[in-house]
Amino acid sequence: MAENGEEKLLAVARHIAKTLGHNESMADDILQIFSTFDGRFSREKLAEGQAGEDGSTVAVLERTLNSLDGQISRFVAADQPIWADPADSASFLDAIDELVNITREWSHVANEKPVGVCLARADEMLQQAMFRIEEEFRSLMERGAESFAVKHRLDSDEEEGEDYDGDDVQIPVAQPLTDYDLIIDALPSATINDLHEMAKRMLGAGFGKSCSHVYSACRREFLEESVSRLGLQKLSIEEVHKMPWQELEDEIERWIKAANVSLRILFPSERRLCDRVFFGFSSAADLSFMEVCRGSTIQLLNFADAIAIGSRSPERLFKVLDVFETMRDLMHEFESVFSDQFCLVLRNEAVTIWKRLGEAIRGIFMELENLIRRDPAKAAVPGGGLHPITRYVMNYLRAACRSRQTLEQVFEESNGVPSKDSTLLTVQMSWIMELLESNLEVKSKVYKDPALCYVFLMNNGRYIVQKVKDGDLGLLLGEDWIRKHNAKVRQYHSSYQRSAWNKMLGLLKVDNTAAGLNGLGKTMKEKLKQFNIQFDETCKVHSTWVVFDEQLREELRISLARLLLPAYGNFIGRFQNLGDIGKGKNADKYIKYGVEDIEARINELFKGSTTARK
């Protein structure tokens, strides 16, 4: 009886040593400590009966594995989906949990041969179970997506009520309205819960990579299909560069829609789904999310990059600005959605391409400068009218300034240093205006008649000032710039008047030094004759010249009338007071025009020929 009690005591000691010892060495150390307290716990006595007890324990392990093997094998070999029946799926998971727990409990004595054999068998059973769970995981994801009701579509351009082909897989997507604050539940909640339970077992059993791979493959297909339905093509950078510009403009519009929907709806929805399926396993969730979104993200970024490194022809500015602004506005989404370590490369690439688009915009302005410099001074514009380069550049800059805030940002991010009173964008615009004015100065030299040269400069200068005043360009260049250039136009006006009319005005001055009435009469007759010839010729020529601005045209006519009419009226008045010389038929021979006639001819000036007015 005493021996039986002692045997029980020894068995308890051995059990405590095994339980507390994480490995065989620690268990031996615990037994050694017991032996120092009580002689009954000597190493020899504790070792006695160990073999018999171990044998019985291993037998229990084997029986347990046999039972689990039967349960797991039945599920592994089943033809029907296990998750079609909640009771079956629960039993299958319970069996796996028990198998994992047994493996974990016995792992510290795995080097003991009988136990090692059992654990190898358990590991093989676990692998078979994981292979079946992987199949179930894939099947459930696919069936869940197919069965989930499609309430919205991303491709809002499609006709309402249009049916897809019956063979197509219906993919749950959302229609991008004006509000992007929308998250899609791409799978039913019950399916997500089941996927989470499967993922938890696979990750716990060391099959995390397989689980992530299956998940990513299924969701990546969904995401790529969703982006495709937005109309965005998969294009290489070379293919983008080869596209005709009109087609590329349409593709940019589709890209903008796809980028907004992807970053604001699709990717956040995928992020939430990953977090729910892999709840408690943040690293697996991050890796899976990156694998799901990487392809679509690279597709979007490659297109933007192709735009950034493509042609810098000035007419492309406005679409490049659209792409830049889209990337800028989505930077917050790139930062928040791709915030984990696995997505760092995508996030950094987005920032790099966004900055590259800014460089492209600055490059386009440099190309505009080159275009102005290279524009040749060959054929003169008929009638001194508006030069096409003036119209092009001013309308271009006015349109560009509608994106003034964006351009301010683009130029502030360059390496230039703004002055105290102006921004880098102001400096850029001022420089382009200076180049344009210099180019026009060169073009004005094409005209052989100096007066027409000034009409040309006056026309183009007035157009420039008007375009600056009427838009954001004026806010950039400032009131001082406008005042200076208005003064320039007035100077061209004065120069035209001097060049074209001062000589004629000199003919209307009375020479009081002429000897007697006859001498004075002869001189005045000659001057009237010369005036009539010059006036006729000048009016004939200048009436074909054009002043496009109605107000400027009226100002010129009024100015000429004030210059000529008093002098002409005074001259013919003096001539008519010369007695017989200036009266009757003698006067009619020399006085071709009355004052009203002169004014009428002046009012016919600058109407331009048909060619000049175009």
Side-chain angles (χ1 to χ4, degrees):
M1 190 76 180
E3 287 181 4
N4 190 31
E6 183 176 323
E7 193 60 41
K8 287 183 177 180
L9 184 62
L10 291 172
V12 170
R14 284 192 292 270
H15 178 71
I16 291 172
K18 275 191 176 182
T19 303
L20 296 179
H22 295 297
N23 52 50
E24 188 175 359
S25 176
M26 289 182 67
D28 286 344
D29 291 343
I30 293 170
L31 291 174
Q32 181 65 37
I33 293 169
F34 283 162
S35 69
T36 60
F37 284 98
D38 192 320
R40 290 174 295 178
F41 297 141
S42 67
R43 295 297 301 273
E44 293 77 12
K45 288 184 177 181
L46 286 168
E48 291 176 10
Q50 178 75 40
E53 182 183 317
D54 285 351
S56 62
T57 307
V58 170
V60 172
L61 174 59
E62 288 178 343
R63 286 196 298 272
T64 304
L65 288 179
N66 288 337
S67 173
L68 290 173
D69 193 9
Q71 296 176 55
I72 291 173
S73 296
R74 178 171 63 85
F75 288 118
V76 168
D79 294 331
Q80 298 298 320
I82 299 172
W83 262 258
D85 185 340
D88 284 348
S89 61
S91 298
F92 186 43
L93 291 178
D94 288 343
I96 291 172
D97 289 343
E98 188 174 350
L99 183 61
V100 170
N101 288 334
I102 287 173
T103 303
R104 189 178 294 118
E105 286 176 6
W106 286 85
S107 61
H108 69 283
V109 288
N111 58 345
E112 296 180 11
K113 189 173 180 180
V115 175
V117 172
C118 289
L119 290 181
R121 179 187 173 193
D123 188 58
E124 186 177 337
M125 292 165 56
L126 188 60
Q127 285 195 41
Q128 294 299 318
M130 289 301 108
F131 291 151
R132 182 56 194 256
I133 276 199
E134 183 178 318
E135 291 178 13
E136 294 285 329
F137 190 89
R138 180 185 292 106
S139 175
L140 192 57
M141 287 198 70
E142 292 172 352
R143 284 188 289 112
E146 290 171 11
S147 63
F148 195 41
V150 180
K151 295 181 180 179
H152 302 284
R153 291 179 184 171
L154 287 173
D155 41 340
S156 57
D157 292 338
E158 296 203 31
E159 295 289 335
E160 267 195 350
E162 179 184 347
D163 293 328
Y164 289 111
D165 186 85
D167 295 331
D168 289 344
V169 175
Q170 297 260 322
I171 293 188
V173 287
Q175 184 176 0
L177 305 175
T178 54
D179 183 10
Y180 288 103
D181 188 14
L182 172 68
I183 297 293
I184 306 167
D185 283 323
L187 296 172
S189 185
T191 300
I192 294 172
N193 292 336
D194 288 338
L195 290 170
H196 169 65
E197 293 300 325
M198 293 184 198
K200 186 164 65 174
R201 268 64 176 196
M202 292 183 75
L203 287 156
F207 286 75
K209 285 187 178 179
S210 298
C211 183
S212 178
H213 175 74
V214 172
Y215 176 90
S216 302
C218 292
R219 294 310 302 168
R220 183 165 53 245
E221 183 180 352
F222 157 84
L223 192 58
E224 289 176 356
E225 175 67 16
S226 295
V227 173
S228 174
R229 292 192 181 200
L230 289 164
L232 190 65
Q233 304 178 59
K234 283 189 176 180
L235 299 168
S236 67
I237 289 177
E238 293 75 17
E239 288 172 328
V240 172
H241 290 167
K242 290 178 181 178
M243 288 183 76
W245 176 238
Q246 191 170 2
E247 290 181 24
L248 187 54
E249 284 184 303
D250 295 336
E251 194 65 23
I252 287 172
E253 289 301 316
R254 288 190 287 271
W255 178 87
I256 290 171
K257 181 172 77 168
N260 275 294
V261 172
S262 296
L263 268 295
R264 292 177 173 174
I265 298 177
L266 292 177
F267 294 168
S269 298
E270 290 301 323
R271 176 78 257 186
R272 188 171 83 157
L273 183 60
C274 267
D275 290 343
R276 291 180 67 185
V277 171
F278 295 100
F279 180 74
F281 303 92
S282 59
S283 183
D286 293 344
L287 177 61
S288 300
F289 173 71
M290 186 274 290
E291 290 293 345
V292 170
C293 296
R294 179 173 57 183
S296 296
T297 305
I298 289 173
Q299 181 185 354
L300 291 169
L301 292 178
N302 278 350
F303 183 86
D305 199 27
I307 299 300
I309 63 177
S311 168
R312 297 192 173 179
S313 180
E315 67 267 15
R316 298 193 171 208
L317 172 68
F318 306 102
K319 284 301 178 183
V320 177
L321 276 169
D322 289 343
V323 177
F324 176 88
E325 289 172 345
T326 300
M327 288 293 293
R328 177 197 64 196
D329 296 343
L330 290 174
M331 271 303 121
H332 173 73
E333 280 70 21
F334 274 108
E335 293 288 340
S336 61
V337 174
F338 298 124
S339 59
D340 61 81
Q341 57 176 338
F342 295 106
C343 292
L344 179 63
V345 173
L346 296 176
R347 190 167 69 246
N348 289 344
E349 185 66 8
V351 173
T352 298
I353 291 171
W354 175 44
K355 290 183 177 179
R356 199 172 290 151
L357 285 162
E359 292 171 8
I361 291 168
R362 293 190 291 272
I364 288 172
F365 274 92
M366 289 179 65
E367 189 56 34
L368 177 64
E369 295 171 16
N370 293 332
L371 182 148
I372 295 170
R373 288 191 190 97
R374 292 193 299 260
D375 193 61
K378 292 181 180 178
V381 177
L386 193 61
H387 197 281
I389 191 68
T390 307
R391 192 188 303 275
Y392 174 80
V393 171
M394 294 312 301
N395 286 326
Y396 186 93
L397 295 182
R398 273 171 56 87
C401 282
R402 296 191 191 109
S403 301
R404 178 186 168 192
Q405 289 183 334
T406 299
L407 290 174
E408 292 275 15
Q409 180 182 8
V410 166
F411 282 94
E412 290 304 318
E413 288 175 357
S414 68
N415 296 322
V417 180
S419 66
K420 292 181 180 179
D421 301 323
S422 60
T423 65
L424 287 172
L425 179 59
T426 300
V427 172
Q428 176 67 54
M429 293 298 182
S430 298
W431 173 238
I432 291 174
M433 300 301 292
E434 189 174 327
L435 284 175
L436 176 60
E437 290 168 38
S438 298
N439 184 275
L440 292 171
E441 289 278 357
V442 173
K443 286 178 167 58
S444 71
K445 307 302 181 190
V446 174
Y447 296 102
K448 295 179 181 179
D449 188 333
L452 186 53
C453 165
Y454 291 122
V455 169
F456 172 79
L457 291 172
M458 195 172 12
N459 269 318
N460 287 271
R462 181 62 165 240
Y463 186 84
I464 289 171
V465 171
Q466 293 290 15
K467 288 294 181 180
V468 169
K469 282 173 62 178
D470 293 344
D472 286 338
L473 194 52
L475 298 175
L476 275 175
L477 297 176
E479 290 297 326
D480 284 345
W481 189 97
I482 294 171
R483 276 195 295 272
K484 287 177 182 176
H485 284 74
N486 268 328
K488 266 191 175 183
V489 174
R490 288 194 296 271
Q491 184 180 344
Y492 295 143
H493 179 167
S494 299
S495 297
Y496 158 77
Q497 208 162 264
R498 268 197 318 274
S499 176
W501 299 94
N502 271 14
K503 185 177 179 182
M504 203 180 309
L505 193 62
L507 294 173
L508 298 178
K509 290 182 180 178
V510 178
D511 185 2
N512 293 320
T513 62
L517 289 177
N518 288 334
L520 181 59
K522 185 177 180 181
T523 302
M524 293 184 76
K525 286 177 186 179
E526 186 59 31
K527 285 188 174 186
L528 273 173
K529 182 180 177 182
Q530 290 297 319
F531 175 86
N532 291 335
I533 293 170
Q534 290 186 28
F535 184 73
D536 281 343
E537 182 61 29
T538 299
C539 287
K540 180 181 177 182
V541 172
H542 290 209
S543 63
T544 65
W545 296 357
V546 63
V547 174
F548 79 94
D549 183 78
E550 186 176 345
Q551 183 181 346
L552 178 60
R553 186 165 62 245
E554 193 59 31
E555 287 173 2
L556 276 169
R557 289 169 176 172
I558 290 171
S559 175
L560 288 176
R562 288 175 178 171
L563 181 72
L564 284 179
L565 296 184
Y568 183 74
N570 182 57
F571 188 87
I572 61 173
R574 289 284 301 275
F575 182 69
Q576 289 171 337
N577 288 332
L578 291 178
D580 293 339
I581 298 173
K583 292 180 181 179
K585 291 183 179 181
N586 286 328
D588 293 341
K589 285 173 59 178
Y590 300 102
I591 303 175
K592 186 175 181 179
Y593 301 105
V595 174
E596 294 79 7
D597 299 325
I598 295 289
E599 185 175 15
R601 290 296 300 274
I602 289 173
N603 287 334
E604 294 297 316
L605 298 177
F606 313 119
K607 287 188 174 181
S609 64
T610 304
T611 305
R613 286 196 299 269
K614 287 182 180 178

